[in-house]
Amino acid sequence: MRRLLIAGNWKMNTSLQTAKSLASAIATNLPALDPDKSIDVALFPPFVFIPTVVEACASTGIQVGAQTCSQHPYGAFTGEVSTDMLLSCGCNQVLVGHSERRQYYHETNDLVALKVESVLKSPLTPILCIGETLEQRQTGQTWAILQQQLDAVYSLIDASQLERIIIAYEPVWAIGTGVAASSTEAEEAHAFIRKHLSRWTNAESLRILYGGSVTADNAKELLSQPDIDGALIGGASLKAESFCSIISTAHSLR
Ligand code: PGA
């Protein structure tokens, strides 16, 4: 059975104080995780608050990751953060290619592929975010877009590393809109992704998270789908109550 991952993407929110208090509140209210229930929990705070969140989550089992990273190992790249820096701060995973990075910071499929390649040279786990826009869905391009986003990465990476990648399917039209994909739409996309990736890797063990307006109310329906292995949660991860409620739901499904 694939482990469920419940991940909170805080985006550019919180202050030093509120990052600390949110992480502590999540750590305190975390339902006691039964190790046999195979659930992982991870937080993705802004870079500058990573050490604080790592400290607040120490010995709780909550993992900490970053929202993006550089494709370069080190050097004259003002403002960038490398995988080694993240590791030294206690991260064990990193989001790559979130749609907001693609949309606002012009991250192309090729750049995303280079970033995943660089993450895989480190012990960090990359969570590769993919998803179609509303226009692409409405014009029947969903499968072609997902395929392009996946193939750009998978064709570049050494086959022995491919099993380390986690996918997050996040339809752009569902992110931050309050309109999540229906469980049928999400399952259809996840099953497509799994089938498509079976040409590159052992897709049965691949974890595919759903992201886009996941809430405490719709989590059960989404997480009950056979190909949905967790959730990447934005808005609802900024309140300990809703985030912990989603974790409890995941726990009850295992
Ligand atoms: P949302 O964001 O849950 O606020 O829709 C999800 C994400 O962008 O990862």
Side-chain angles (χ1 to χ4, degrees):
M1 189 167 45
R2 296 182 291 265
R3 295 176 71 80
L4 284 177
L5 171 58
I6 304 300
N9 173 11
W10 293 0
K11 308 192 180 185
M12 199 173 75
N13 293 298
T14 69
S15 65
L16 181 60
Q17 288 72 25
T18 59
K20 192 173 180 174
S21 55
L22 177 57
S24 303
I26 291 169
T28 310
N29 295 303
L30 190 69
L33 293 180
D34 176 345
D36 294 341
K37 291 251 182 173
S38 53
I39 294 173
D40 296 316
V41 175
L43 300 178
F44 295 80
F47 285 135
V48 283
F49 306 142
I50 287 172
T52 303
V53 172
V54 166
E55 197 183 324
C57 294
S59 65
T60 61
I62 299 175
Q63 301 166 25
V64 181
Q67 299 172 14
T68 184
C69 67
S70 172
Q71 70 275 31
H72 301 292
Y74 58 86
F77 300 102
T78 300
E80 290 289 274
V81 174
S82 72
T83 53
D84 276 356
M85 293 173 186
L86 297 177
L87 270 176
S88 70
C89 290
C91 286
N92 74 344
Q93 48 202 294
V94 54
L95 305 181
V96 184
H98 188 281
S99 67
E100 288 151 15
R101 302 292 316 171
R102 294 177 188 259
Q103 189 180 349
Y104 305 131
Y105 301 97
H106 314 295
E107 292 196 5
T108 60
N109 281 341
D110 290 343
L111 177 59
V112 169
L114 290 175
K115 290 190 173 201
V116 172
E117 189 181 40
S118 129
V119 174
L120 287 171
K121 285 186 186 143
S122 79
L124 296 167
T125 298
I127 301 185
L128 168 62
C129 304
I130 60 169
E132 80 287 0
T133 62
L134 185 59
E135 193 198 341
Q136 288 163 341
R137 176 161 280 258
Q138 286 173 339
T139 51
Q141 298 180 72
T142 300
W143 308 134
I145 292 294
L146 296 181
Q147 218 163 297
Q148 280 163 22
Q149 291 173 335
L150 292 167
D151 289 351
V153 174
Y154 278 72
S155 60
L156 190 75
I157 307 295
D158 183 279
S160 65
Q161 297 293 311
L162 293 178
E163 287 191 18
R164 290 180 48 211
I165 302 174
I166 296 176
I167 304 287
Y169 169 62
E170 299 203 297
V172 179
W173 47 271
I175 295 179
T177 59
V179 182
S182 69
S183 54
T184 313
E185 286 167 331
E187 170 58 23
E188 191 186 18
H190 283 229
F192 170 84
I193 293 164
R194 196 178 302 286
K195 181 154 184 287
H196 182 71
L197 288 182
S198 63
R199 72 183 61 177
W200 296 104
T201 186
N202 173 13
E204 276 315 302
S205 62
L206 175 79
R207 290 204 279 177
I208 310 176
L209 317 181
Y210 168 78
S213 296
V214 176
T215 62
D217 292 334
N218 62 20
K220 186 167 186 189
E221 173 79 19
L222 288 161
L223 293 173
S224 305
Q225 303 307 310
D227 286 294
I228 300 187
D229 309 312
L232 180 55
I233 303 153
S237 73
L238 290 170
K239 292 217 165 69
E241 196 186 349
S242 46
F243 190 63
C244 289
S245 157
I246 296 170
I247 298 167
S248 298
T249 300
H251 205 242
S252 70
L253 292 170
R254 275 292 193 262

